[in-house]
Amino acid sequence: MTDLDAFRLETRAWLEANCPPGMRAPVRGEQDQCWGGRNFQFSSDDQRIWLERMAARGWTAPDWPCEYGGGGLSQAEHKVLREEMSRIQARPPLSSFGVWMIGPAILKFGSEPLKRQHLPPIVRGEIRWCQGYSEPGAGSDLAGLQTRAEDRGDHFIVNGQKVWTSYADQADWMFCLVRTDPDARKQLGISLVLFDMTTPGVSTRPIKLISGNSPFCETFLDDVCVEKDQVVGEINQGWTIAKYLLTHEREMIGGMGRTGAGQRTLPEFAVEAIGLDNGRLADGMLRAEVARWALDAKAFELTAERVRDEAKTGQGVGHASAMVKYYGTELNKRRQELMLALRGSDALVWEGAASHEGALPRMWLRSKANSIEGGTSEIQLNVIARNILALQ
Amino acid sequence: MPALVLNEEQQMLKDAAQRFFRENAPVAQLRALRDNRDETGFSAELWRNMAEMGFAGTLIPEAFGGSGFGHVGMGQLSEEAGRNLSASPLFSSSILSAVTLLLAGSGEQKQATLPAIASGKLVVALAIDEKPRHHPWSINTTAQNLDAGFVINGHKSFVVDGHVADRLIVAARTNIGSQDSDGISLFLIDPATQGVKVERTIMADSRNAATVRLDHVRVGEEALLGQLNEAHAVLESVLDMGNAQLAAELLGLSLEAFERTVRFLQERKQFGVVIGSFQGLQHRAAHMFSELELLKSVVLKALVALDEEAVDASALVSLAKAKACEVAELVTNEMIQMHGGIGMTDEFDAGLFIKRARVVQQLLGDYRYHADRFARLHGF
């Protein structure tokens, strides 16, 4: 038996013994996700226990070094863990911008004290992070951001406004792009700073979206004091980190096109909604569209696999994140439109318990943001054309 | 499952194939064959050189004179041949026929054919389709069992390289009255046999296929290839292996068409600037780039699945062929549109790319055929 096989057996046994029954079911919506943080209300004891047990092993951030609370797993072990979790339909124990975004950035660019301060609480799900990037005047042209950080010796005073801050009203800390040198060329005067959302001068206001939900906020920063030791990387070098984080974000959002563990595939959803006639989906036009989607979805999944394999051997074109973001989000929007069509008028019920308060149409509307957030589809196509195809 | 990257041996084969086809069988060669109305539709010298390189025996085990490099290996050759629109009997003989003989042939039949196929001396063509749209089980050709042999009657179309083949493999219904994929058998036939009439059809891609008429063709029992009435499973595998290679060919063709188009966008000036600076064209080019990245993945996955004899190989092959058809159609259409008027001229190569693409798309099933098959294999 190889070490990896042994690891698989141990992992399987541990998951069997420790994953609570209530956590072995597909995530149906927001309410089933555990975001952690100071203000988080667990939806069940199972959810709380599952987070605690996984965090104790560092498996909420499986590939982070053990010294910062992570699992210390190799890529191959991490893959085994994912496979074994998906085998029993185990839910992710923690959904976290800390794990997905700022954690990796701190690991890569942060000072040793920053790592020790911020990484372990992220792993334990104690601190929930939000991202301060976009501004009213800086959307696709993110580097044009105007939030100012004035140097006051040992600290900065930050003034400005952020928008589309995911869950800012529930977050504990923000990682935020600010302008530290107003005279430099726009990409060169930006820094990435961290601050507690309870700092005086920070206020948030939820934005109600077409889905009826408010996952995003406006965040106002009025004379917010930020200590200088809370700058990630060098002062005025924030754009490099921002691009690194955008790459992460693009791959993450692009990944939404993939069918998650335990989630029903679109063909399964279609068969349930429409039924079969002689082994074929009973509606020929829908069948053709579902098939086209399923072909593209499988091709996309295999491309993610190939990109990972190429990265391991040092091959590949780079810039894959723009393609993954563009294709994955368009794919997810197509899936949501097809789900709507497959369920007909049932999919448009907005209120009431039978429709889980309109879960399906709200998810469909939420997906429209996928090709906007983290850089629009058009920006991704610009990046591909300019950086890969040398068209300019 | 192995990683979705080429191993060192496969990469070396790809590099060798890249050089070989670029130097020995560029697009200009196909153009010359067409303009000279070549009788065979390919260069005999090229085929000899390909055999010397070992290409003709890539799928044939060493025991029968091949190199046993497998489907991923052969896929690299198909891709590079696709880039250059190189015409040769590689697909008909070294792929379709070689794997049919490998899977169905007796020891004697294999010994008599495979080493000769590997050395390029024997060209064998596979005759299945009878209708304009691929439907392998719509077989009206019959082979009646008579006096220790068979009498074959029927008609086959779109038989790639049929007119230059030294042997034909013919699918015929032996259980008369059977339906669909049941009751079909394969026969290895010398086209010189009385009653066999092979007629070349010059296709849009300037390559060739043939119609084969079989009129009371008498063959002995030794002509039977594989089990009587049981050709179905063999043909399923053969068609999978063939389609994976066609998908690889379409990948190479599409990559070349795309790269030529991008170069044109970088150079062609209108309104005082290069047209590649226009966002209307940039976004379409970037979309094609993304589709091609997906195509690379599905083609490699299908080839790996065949080498690994994976249980879902058939679905992965249909995925690869369906996607290849879709992307090749997109890219060759955009090649002409983005080149404007020059793309419509015969002097320019875009026409050769789009014509070859459509022929390969139709061969053994187009997007619709394979999307339907993919859906059926996934239970919808």
Side-chain angles (χ1 to χ4, degrees):
Chain A
M1 191 175 1
T2 65
D3 288 351
L4 204 59
D5 290 335
F7 176 77
R8 185 182 294 278
L9 289 183
E10 284 166 31
T11 302
R12 185 173 296 182
W14 187 86
L15 288 171
E16 276 300 344
N18 288 281
C19 182
M23 293 294 104
R24 301 183 190 198
V27 174
R28 286 159 305 179
E30 200 82 334
Q31 78 282 357
D32 290 340
Q33 270 174 302
C34 173
W35 289 95
R38 296 173 194 145
N39 308 314
F40 186 70
Q41 301 286 322
F42 289 99
S43 63
S44 66
D45 279 347
D46 279 358
Q47 193 182 48
R48 181 182 50 77
I49 292 166
W50 183 221
L51 171 63
E52 286 169 3
R53 288 180 181 167
M54 286 291 274
R57 290 181 80 96
W59 282 3
T60 47
D63 52 1
W64 291 9
C66 297
E67 53 182 317
Y68 307 119
L73 300 189
S74 68
Q75 276 196 358
E77 288 168 335
H78 190 181
K79 189 164 175 234
V80 167
L81 174 60
R82 277 199 304 269
E83 286 166 358
E84 288 304 315
M85 285 178 65
S86 118
R87 202 180 64 82
I88 60 166
Q89 296 198 358
R91 286 181 183 166
L94 182 63
S95 301
S96 160
F97 293 122
V99 172
W100 298 330
M101 301 189 67
I102 189 61
I106 292 175
L107 264 175
K108 194 172 164 71
F109 300 99
S111 65
E112 189 58 32
L114 270 191
K115 291 180 192 174
R116 299 217 171 272
Q117 178 187 356
H118 290 298
L119 297 180
I122 289 175
V123 172
R124 294 192 297 266
E126 288 167 4
I127 293 294
R128 183 171 180 178
W129 287 82
C130 64
Q131 168 180 274
Y133 268 35
S134 296
E135 297 179 5
S140 286
D141 182 16
L142 181 61
L145 60 91
Q146 296 298 325
T147 294
R148 287 276 302 274
E150 272 175 67
D151 195 332
R152 296 283 175 87
D154 60 346
H155 67 276
F156 290 109
I157 292 296
V158 178
N159 278 288
Q161 184 187 341
K162 294 287 172 183
V163 72
W164 307 124
T165 334
S166 306
Y167 306 109
D169 53 339
Q170 294 160 61
D172 306 308
W173 275 68
M174 175 182 272
F175 52 102
C176 185
L177 288 176
V178 296
R179 186 158 299 286
T180 34
D181 183 352
D183 301 323
R185 197 166 67 85
K186 64 181 183 181
Q187 283 88 351
L188 299 180
I190 294 172
S191 302
L192 182 68
V193 298
L194 314 176
F195 54 80
D196 193 315
M197 293 296 279
T198 59
T199 312
V202 179
S203 58
T204 62
R205 188 165 70 198
I207 305 168
K208 189 171 179 183
L209 299 185
I210 52 176
S211 63
N213 300 335
S214 304
F216 299 104
C217 294
E218 292 176 287
T219 304
F220 303 93
L221 306 169
D222 298 308
D223 289 332
V224 177
C225 175
V226 176
E227 299 299 327
K228 280 229 175 120
D229 60 6
Q230 296 302 316
V231 176
V232 184
E234 302 284 312
I235 291 173
N236 292 332
Q237 298 295 309
W239 187 244
T240 310
I241 308 172
K243 280 194 297 183
Y244 167 80
L245 274 172
L246 276 173
T247 305
H248 254 264
E249 188 182 15
R250 284 169 186 169
E251 283 168 6
M252 188 178 85
I253 297 169
M256 289 178 180
R258 268 168 266 159
T259 306
Q263 222 181 329
R264 264 178 314 175
T265 64
L266 185 67
E268 285 164 358
F269 185 91
V271 169
E272 198 183 287
I274 302 289
L276 291 173
D277 176 15
N278 226 338
R280 289 175 162 82
L281 203 62
D283 182 312
M285 297 295 282
L286 279 169
R287 177 172 184 264
E289 290 185 44
V290 171
R292 190 178 283 273
W293 185 89
L295 287 164
D296 286 340
K298 183 71 181 169
F300 181 68
E301 180 192 313
L302 290 170
T303 301
E305 187 182 326
R306 181 171 63 84
V307 168
R308 275 199 303 274
D309 288 346
E310 283 178 354
K312 271 184 245 166
T313 57
Q315 301 178 27
V317 291
H319 305 297
S321 69
M323 185 271 290
V324 169
K325 165 72 166 70
Y326 163 62
Y327 213 97
T329 56
E330 297 297 333
L331 204 53
N332 194 37
K333 289 198 299 181
R334 280 166 61 195
R335 169 164 66 180
Q336 300 293 336
E337 287 293 348
L338 278 168
M339 285 168 80
L340 216 61
L342 285 161
R343 293 282 300 276
S345 61
D346 282 354
L348 295 167
V349 176
W350 194 249
E351 292 182 9
S355 70
H356 300 281
E357 300 301 332
L360 187 61
R362 289 172 203 267
M363 197 164 65
W364 157 71
L365 288 165
R366 173 66 183 84
S367 75
K368 299 301 172 198
N370 292 165
S371 51
I372 301 170
E373 59 202 340
T376 62
S377 282
E378 290 72 20
I379 289 285
Q380 306 313 316
L381 292 171
N382 285 350
V383 168
I384 295 169
R386 206 174 46 236
N387 297 351
I388 305 177
L389 303 178
L391 295 175
Q392 45 200 331
Chain B
M1 271 286 167
L4 282 183
V5 285
L6 297 183
N7 65 31
E8 207 174 320
E9 265 187 336
Q10 292 160 345
Q11 188 60 49
M12 277 169 63
L13 182 60
K14 186 186 181 69
D15 295 343
Q18 209 165 38
R19 275 194 308 278
F20 179 87
F21 285 107
R22 196 171 52 214
E23 286 164 17
N24 297 282
V27 179
Q29 185 178 72
L30 175 70
R31 182 179 287 279
L33 288 163
R34 180 195 70 170
D35 293 347
N36 301 333
R37 299 192 68 77
D38 187 272
E39 295 247 316
T40 59
F42 66 93
S43 151
E45 191 198 343
L46 171 72
W47 184 232
R48 267 196 307 277
N49 288 339
M50 284 172 70
E52 266 170 38
M53 291 286 289
F55 293 172
T58 306
L59 285 174
I60 296 171
E62 286 177 27
F64 294 107
S67 63
F69 245 132
H71 299 279
V72 175
M74 183 60 103
Q76 307 318 306
L77 303 183
S78 294
E79 185 181 327
E80 295 306 321
R83 267 190 182 269
N84 295 282
L85 307 182
S86 313
S88 81
L90 187 74
F91 180 69
S92 57
S93 196
S94 296
I95 296 169
L96 279 185
S97 300
V99 298
T100 310
L101 289 158
L102 255 179
L103 292 172
S106 64
E108 217 168 301
Q109 285 167 325
K110 285 195 259 196
Q111 203 55 58
T113 53
L114 290 176
I117 290 177
S119 68
K121 295 197 174 74
L122 184 77
V123 171
V124 185
L126 180 64
I128 305 178
D129 273 314
E130 301 182 4
K131 295 200 164 147
R133 286 188 58 76
H134 177 64
H135 194 317
W137 319 126
S138 179
I139 290 180
N140 290 317
T141 297
T142 56
Q144 273 179 300
N145 210 326
L146 215 70
D147 326 328
F150 297 86
V151 178
I152 307 177
N153 277 291
H155 168 265
K156 296 283 175 184
S157 58
F158 210 11
V159 181
V160 179
D161 294 326
H163 74 300
V164 291
D166 305 302
R167 293 284 183 279
L168 296 169
I169 299 171
V170 175
R173 206 166 279 288
T174 32
N175 182 2
I176 316 297
S178 63
Q179 293 284 318
D180 210 44
S181 59
D182 288 336
I184 295 167
S185 308
L186 296 171
F187 295 91
L188 184 62
I189 299 174
D190 185 335
T193 314
Q194 200 176 7
V196 180
K197 196 172 164 219
V198 180
E199 201 178 322
R200 181 179 180 187
T201 331
I202 296 179
M203 304 296 288
D205 63 347
S206 310
R207 303 271 285 267
N208 56 72
T211 54
V212 177
R213 273 168 232 287
L214 304 137
D215 187 13
H216 289 87
V217 177
R218 298 190 75 101
V219 294
E221 268 176 348
E222 74 285 353
L224 180 67
L225 198 55
Q227 298 278 314
L228 189 68
N229 294 332
E230 301 290 337
H232 169 237
V234 169
L235 278 176
E236 283 273 17
S237 297
V238 168
L239 293 171
D240 277 344
M241 294 171 183
N243 271 307
Q245 295 301 325
L246 293 175
E249 181 178 345
L250 284 173
L251 169 62
L253 183 157
S254 302
L255 284 171
E256 181 69 22
F258 176 67
E259 287 164 19
R260 288 183 182 212
T261 305
V262 169
R263 277 202 297 278
F264 184 75
L265 297 181
Q266 289 165 341
E267 287 159 11
R268 167 75 173 167
K269 282 190 173 170
Q270 288 287 277
F271 307 104
V273 292
V274 291
I275 61 173
S277 63
F278 301 144
Q279 205 172 41
L281 297 178
Q282 287 179 348
H283 284 190
R284 278 155 60 191
H287 175 71
M288 281 193 274
F289 169 84
S290 305
E291 290 286 7
L292 282 162
E293 286 298 305
L294 263 64
L295 181 55
K296 286 181 195 169
S297 319
V298 294
V299 167
L300 183 54
K301 183 71 179 185
L303 295 168
V304 168
L306 288 172
D307 276 337
E308 298 287 308
E309 299 179 23
V311 287
D312 57 349
S314 291
L316 289 166
V317 167
S318 276
L319 167 62
K321 183 70 186 305
K323 198 70 202 160
C325 290
E326 187 192 37
V327 176
E329 193 162 314
L330 171 72
V331 172
T332 52
N333 283 335
E334 288 284 59
M335 183 185 201
I336 290 185
Q337 178 65 22
M338 290 184 174
H339 278 86
I342 196 177
M344 290 297 292
T345 61
D346 181 69
E347 193 189 345
F348 192 69
D349 287 340
L352 298 174
F353 279 89
I354 196 170
K355 286 183 266 192
R356 178 61 185 163
R358 293 305 178 277
V359 170
V360 182
Q361 285 169 244
Q362 270 315 312
L363 200 50
L364 308 188
D366 65 357
Y367 167 81
R368 295 146 199 98
Y369 178 88
H370 286 284
D372 172 76
R373 184 167 180 257
F374 178 85
R376 270 188 290 121
L377 290 169
H378 281 92
F380 71 104

